[in-house]
Amino acid sequence: MKNINFHPLFLKILYLITFFMLFAFIVFTPSLINGPARITEKLVFREDTIEGSLLCVLFLLSILILNLYKGEVYKHKEQIKKANKDKMAIADRLHSSDQYIGMLNVQINEIKSIFNSISKYPETKAELKETYRFFGKRILGIVNSNWVLIRIINCDSQRTIGEHFEIRHSYSADYPHISNRMIIEDKTIPLFTSVISNPENLNILVFCIMPVDKINKDQRIFIQAIINEITKMFVILQSSLYKNEKLLSVEDNANK
């Protein structure tokens, strides 16, 4: 069964009409009702009984309409409160969305600056060290960390074959001693967050570690892309150096 909803203004007008009718009947009842009302020969209503009954009905009707009016006003107030709450919730969500979009734009611009700034792959170990420094600064630009350690590990020997320790400007920090074995075995290091390269067909592992409890999903994705880029550059450089060594060896043998 559907609830019947009355507009408060309609109920207010109806209540005022009933009130004025009641007032009018009170004033004009003596002149409107003259004498008793005879229904049958035995059923006769006296004049004062009719007047009292009529006034009682009008009075009860006015109370009923007044209660309906108050109930509808209360419901409308609650609806207004709910609408205001919903409006505030939507406004908060929009504000959060704007902040998130703004943060994403900053991070996307940071990522563009990272990869667009690299015009060529490093050809020497010195250039590779400069690449470490470049990426280390970019990681500190993505995560609010005081330092970041980038390390390349040989998975077979568990030895470090490349490393860079980048410290935020105007901040001093001691070199962190992180076990290569813990990194290779992917063990959790308390109070630190690490991101590890994910290629499975290489015998090297590249990772970075920062002194922060956690990073968000977007930050991890961006840093993962940087680590993978370092991995690719290291492999390309090692391959290039290996080819150059073979060429030198071939030339030496030819000269002999």
Side-chain angles (χ1 to χ4, degrees):
M1 185 177 180
K2 293 184 178 180
N3 294 326
I4 300 175
N5 295 321
F6 296 97
H7 196 280
L9 181 60
F10 168 76
L11 291 174
K12 186 175 183 179
I13 293 173
L14 186 59
Y15 174 72
L16 290 174
I17 292 173
T18 306
F19 176 79
F20 285 118
M21 286 178 62
L22 178 61
F23 181 77
F25 271 106
I26 292 172
V27 174
F28 297 106
T29 292
S31 59
L32 292 175
I33 301 175
N34 295 318
R38 185 181 296 274
I39 307 300
T40 62
E41 292 184 359
K42 293 183 178 180
L43 186 58
V44 179
F45 291 100
R46 294 170 51 187
E47 181 180 345
D48 55 350
T49 301
I50 297 172
E51 293 174 355
S53 299
L54 184 59
L55 293 175
C56 182
V57 169
L58 291 172
F59 180 71
L60 292 175
L61 183 61
S62 67
I63 292 176
L64 175 62
I65 295 174
L66 179 61
N67 289 335
L68 285 173
Y69 169 69
K70 288 182 177 179
E72 290 297 322
V73 168
Y74 176 78
K75 284 197 293 185
H76 278 262
K77 285 182 179 179
E78 290 299 313
Q79 289 174 355
I80 291 171
K81 286 182 182 179
K82 185 177 181 302
N84 289 333
K85 287 182 180 179
D86 292 343
K87 182 180 178 182
M88 291 178 64
I90 292 172
D92 289 339
R93 285 198 293 269
L94 287 174
H95 181 66
S96 299
S97 299
D98 290 340
Q99 287 184 328
Y100 181 72
I101 292 171
M103 181 185 68
L104 281 182
N105 288 334
V106 171
Q107 291 176 339
I108 289 171
N109 290 333
E110 185 69 24
I111 291 298
K112 286 181 178 178
S113 70
I114 289 172
F115 295 105
N116 292 339
S117 299
I118 301 172
S119 58
K120 66 174 185 175
Y121 289 115
E123 297 177 352
T124 64
K125 291 183 179 180
E127 290 180 357
L128 185 62
K129 288 183 179 180
E130 287 299 319
T131 301
Y132 294 158
R133 186 174 294 107
F134 172 79
F135 281 126
K137 290 180 179 179
R138 291 304 178 272
I139 291 173
L140 293 181
I142 294 172
V143 179
N144 186 21
S145 172
N146 293 321
W147 56 261
V148 59
L149 173 64
I150 300 172
R151 182 181 293 174
I152 303 175
I153 304 171
N154 185 308
C155 296
D156 297 331
S157 64
Q158 297 187 358
R159 295 183 61 183
T160 300
I161 54 179
E163 191 174 58
H164 176 69
F165 183 52
E166 185 70 30
I167 305 174
R168 191 178 293 278
H169 180 66
S170 71
Y171 183 83
S172 60
D174 295 329
Y175 179 85
H177 296 283
I178 309 297
S179 169
N180 288 349
R181 189 170 188 175
M182 292 183 68
I183 296 299
I184 293 173
E185 295 176 356
D186 198 17
K187 291 184 178 180
T188 302
I189 304 175
L191 303 179
F192 290 90
T193 295
S194 60
V195 181
I196 303 174
S197 59
N198 48 23
E200 298 178 355
N201 58 342
L202 297 176
N203 66 336
I204 64 166
L205 184 148
V206 182
F207 84 99
C208 78
I209 192 163
M210 300 156 284
V212 293
D213 291 334
K214 60 182 179 180
I215 57 177
N216 62 44
K217 182 180 178 181
D218 296 325
Q219 290 172 329
R220 183 170 291 277
I221 290 173
F222 294 151
I223 295 175
Q224 186 73 64
I226 292 174
I227 295 302
N228 291 341
E229 189 72 13
I230 293 175
T231 304
K232 182 168 63 176
M233 290 185 175
F234 180 82
V235 170
I236 291 173
L237 177 60
Q238 291 297 105
S239 176
S240 176
L241 293 175
Y242 177 73
K243 287 180 180 179
N244 290 336
E245 288 177 0
K246 287 187 68 177
L247 287 173
L248 289 173
S249 176
V250 170
E251 290 178 355
D252 289 341
N253 291 333
N255 290 331
K256 291 178 181 179

